[in-house]
Each structure stands twice: as structure tokens, then as C-alpha cells.
Amino acid sequence: MAHVNDVSKESWLLNTFPEWGTYLNEEIENELVKEGTVSMWWLGCTGIWLKSAEGTNILCDLWCGTGKRSHGNGQMKKGHQMMRMSGVQEMQPNLRTQPFVIDPFAIKGVDALVVTHIHSDHLDINTAAAVHQNCPEAKFVGPHEVVATWLKWGIPEEKTIVVKPGDEVTIGQVKIVALEAFDRTALITCEDPDTSLKGKMPQDMDRIAVNYLFETSGGAIYHAGDSHYSNVFAKHGNQYKIDVCLGAYGENPRGITDKVTSVDMLRMAESLNAKVVIPVHYDIWSNFMADPKEITEIWKFKKDRLNYEFKPYIWQVGGKFTYPTNKDDLEFNFYRGFKDVFSVDNDTPFPSFL
């Protein structure tokens, strides 16, 4: 039996985090994806684990960090992209609201870590270290500045693959197509707080961010990273067959445009000619949280008049989505268990307890 004198902050951290332990790691490892399908798990923010029927495992944008942990001096970090965007000075109250559903250091069998862009809630040193240490054959795929960061962290250059829009990389049985990104917040991200961007030419988006299309034998998954809405989505929809699209949805605070709104999530799906649209990212930051059922309700309102050929899917972090198995489902719910009730005699003092 434990004793209070043996309990410390360190023991509490080790015994509590990640909150799900290796439960999801085990589920993914044991999952046998059926022929003609593709499965993926939502890991929080825009992080997903994609697994093909052939057993190819792609990890995308897994972030294992935190938001604010102290009130500090109450001021925004000078030069932060949100400060540059809006002129705000008070601290952004971006608290992490999701548990850690996967243990990065128990990750096994990953064939590639793929990252959309330079922001730290997508490009994570903990994930990079875990994949590097546990999956020695894994490739690290990202745009130029993402790869430059991995190299600074110590990832060997021979493990990395730099991509720009139009590039294709085959990992196992999955073809990864890099496409244009539309993340205007990334364009005003600059590490040097003393650098002024006013009146200067912006960064080259292709060096700092890309969207991805994962083409598998079970379907094609479009990951838009943190892209805002763009008319070029329609170009991508013309160029490629897209079954499922994921977009960074959220409720933007006053004076900020950083996340895709409910209406534009529907526009994105329509432009991409997708069959399913899945909002992500709204779950993670306390100051950008939104209700994804707003997307469903607007879709119901418009679908018959506009002849939508796609459906929204409201996911839950840690949950699995399989295409095309779940393509007509509107919501995810975790398995509730207890299917074997009364398979053995129950043990209560009297039947009246029931």
C-alpha cells in the first residue's frame, strides 16, 4: 500500500501523464485495417495517426506540449504572431484543454513523421525525439523550415525529406502529396522580436508550410494544417480525388483571424469535392474553442438547397475514424462497453439492488 511520504510531484507526474498511458498506443498497434479502408486516430489539435490496410503508419502534426502555465507578467511575448496580427498587448490566455491521449515515448512502428508547418503546436521536439529514438527507419517529412528545425534538434539529415508544393513522397504503401498551404498567421511568425515586418515582403509560404494529401488504397485524406480558407482549395479539388478533408476550425477572438469558421469549413469541403469534412484544432486552445455541431447545423440548413455531396463528421480526441466505413456517420462516440452484461451471475445481496 502506498504511503503519503513516498508521494512527490515527480511520482505524481510519472503516474498520471500521459493521462491515457499506453491505451491508445496499444489500440493503434493492434488494429488490423481492413482491405479497401484506411483508419486514422485524432491525437489532439491537428495531430493524426494514419494507418493503411498494408500496415503503413504515418504520424502527422502530433504535439505533446502545453499552452500557458502561469499568468507571468500578464503581457504578450513581444513579436508573437498574434501581437503582430492585432496589436494586442495583454497575454493570450491559450490554455491547453485536451488530455494527452497517446504516450509519445511508447510510439512504435511509425514509418514517417509528417509536419505541415513551423508552429510549435504542430512541430514538436518531444514527438521528433520519440520517433527518432523508437523508429530508426522513420522518415521526417516537412517543408524547408520545418526540416531546418529538425536538423537543429539533432535529427540526422539523411532521415529528412524537404517538400514543397507539387512534390510527392512514397512511404510504404502511402503516397504523400505536398500542396500549397494558406496559413497567413505563419507568414507573420518571426522569432526575432526586434524585427519589424511592416512594409516588407512576406516570407515564402512554400518554405514554411504545406498542406498534404495522403493517398492510400482505402481513400485519400487531405490535411489542411492551419490553412485559412482559400479559393485554391477548388484547384486542389480539381487536381486530385479527395475523400476526407481536415481543417483547423475555431472561434476567432475579436480582432483575430486565425482559424477557419463553420461556414468556411463547409466551403472548403465543397471546393475540395470531398466526401467527408472533419473539423480539428478547435479542441486544444481555451481561447479558440468552438462547438463543432455548429458546422452540422449549418450543413443541415444548406445541404438540400446547395446539393452538398459531403457530410460533416464530429470527432472526439482519441477516437478512430475509418474511411469509407464511417463516411455516413455524423458523430463519433467511444465504445461504451458492457456488451457482456449478465454473461456470468452477478454478485449483489438481493436482486432488488438492480
Side-chain angles (χ1 to χ4, degrees), residues 175-249:
K175 180 193 289 186
I176 304 172
V177 183
L179 298 167
E180 296 93 340
F182 319 110
D183 185 355
R184 291 183 290 277
T185 305
L187 290 178
I188 55 170
T189 298
C190 176
E191 290 186 359
D192 185 356
D194 296 320
T195 296
S196 174
L197 303 182
K198 192 177 293 291
K200 296 180 180 178
M201 288 295 292
Q203 302 179 69
D204 182 353
M205 182 80 83
D206 294 349
R207 290 175 62 87
I208 61 176
V210 294
N211 293 351
Y212 290 107
L213 182 65
F214 300 99
E215 295 183 338
T216 80
S217 60
I221 312 296
Y222 184 99
H223 194 301
D226 271 358
S227 286
H228 302 94
Y229 182 78
S230 171
N231 293 328
V232 182
F233 282 133
K235 175 188 174 186
H236 293 170
N238 289 345
Q239 290 177 311
Y240 300 95
K241 178 183 179 294
I242 297 168
D243 295 302
V244 181
C245 62
L246 296 89
Y249 169 60

Side-chain angles (χ1 to χ4, degrees), residues 40 42 244-248 265 268 276-280 311-315 321:
M40 56 183 179
W42 187 16
V244 181
C245 62
L246 296 89
M265 285 294 299
M268 179 180 76
V276 180
V277 58
I278 304 179
V280 291
K311 293 181 178 179
Y313 183 78
I314 309 306
W315 219 352
F321 174 87

Side-chain angles (χ1 to χ4, degrees), residues 266-325:
L266 299 177
R267 292 182 70 201
M268 179 180 76
E270 183 180 32
S271 294
L272 290 170
N273 290 323
K275 304 294 190 301
V276 180
V277 58
I278 304 179
V280 291
H281 213 320
Y282 65 89
D283 66 299
I284 204 76
W285 295 125
S286 58
N287 58 332
F288 280 88
M289 289 187 73
D291 188 341
K293 290 189 178 181
E294 178 182 326
I295 296 171
T296 306
E297 292 306 308
I298 296 175
W299 172 79
K300 290 177 183 176
F301 183 74
K302 291 185 172 187
K303 66 182 179 69
D304 296 324
R305 183 167 59 88
L306 297 183
N307 296 313
Y308 282 157
E309 296 184 3
F310 65 89
K311 293 181 178 179
Y313 183 78
I314 309 306
W315 219 352
Q316 291 188 50
V317 173
K320 181 182 72 171
F321 174 87
T322 298
Y323 186 85
T325 308

Side-chain angles (χ1 to χ4, degrees), residues 72-84:
N73 64 2
Q75 297 295 300
M76 181 76 81
K77 178 183 176 182
K78 185 181 177 184
H80 189 277
Q81 54 267 25
M82 296 297 174
M83 173 181 276
R84 294 183 189 276

Side-chain angles (χ1 to χ4, degrees), residues 27-92:
E27 177 182 324
I28 295 171
E29 184 178 355
N30 294 331
E31 179 74 14
L32 297 176
V33 180
K34 293 181 180 179
E35 185 177 351
T37 73
V38 57
S39 292
M40 56 183 179
W41 290 261
W42 187 16
L43 308 178
C45 198
T46 66
I48 64 166
W49 185 308
L50 182 150
K51 189 170 187 178
S52 75
E54 297 82 9
T56 301
N57 289 276
I58 307 291
L59 192 58
C60 181
D61 276 13
L62 172 59
W63 171 58
C64 300
T66 67
K68 291 293 182 293
R69 300 180 57 170
S70 166
H71 285 274
N73 64 2
Q75 297 295 300
M76 181 76 81
K77 178 183 176 182
K78 185 181 177 184
H80 189 277
Q81 54 267 25
M82 296 297 174
M83 173 181 276
R84 294 183 189 276
M85 180 188 298
S86 64
V88 68
Q89 298 182 73
E90 293 184 5
M91 184 181 73
Q92 178 190 5

Side-chain angles (χ1 to χ4, degrees), residues 116-166:
T116 57
H117 67 288
I118 56 173
H119 284 152
S120 58
D121 55 344
H122 304 258
L123 174 58
D124 175 55
I125 192 171
N126 303 292
T127 304
V131 172
H132 172 59
Q133 294 167 18
N134 296 356
C135 311
E137 302 302 317
K139 295 297 184 181
F140 289 69
V141 181
H144 183 277
E145 291 302 318
V146 166
V147 171
T149 300
W150 280 329
L151 295 176
K152 291 176 185 176
W153 289 344
I155 300 300
E157 186 173 4
E158 61 269 20
K159 285 190 171 187
T160 65
I161 301 175
V162 177
V163 292
K164 62 184 183 304

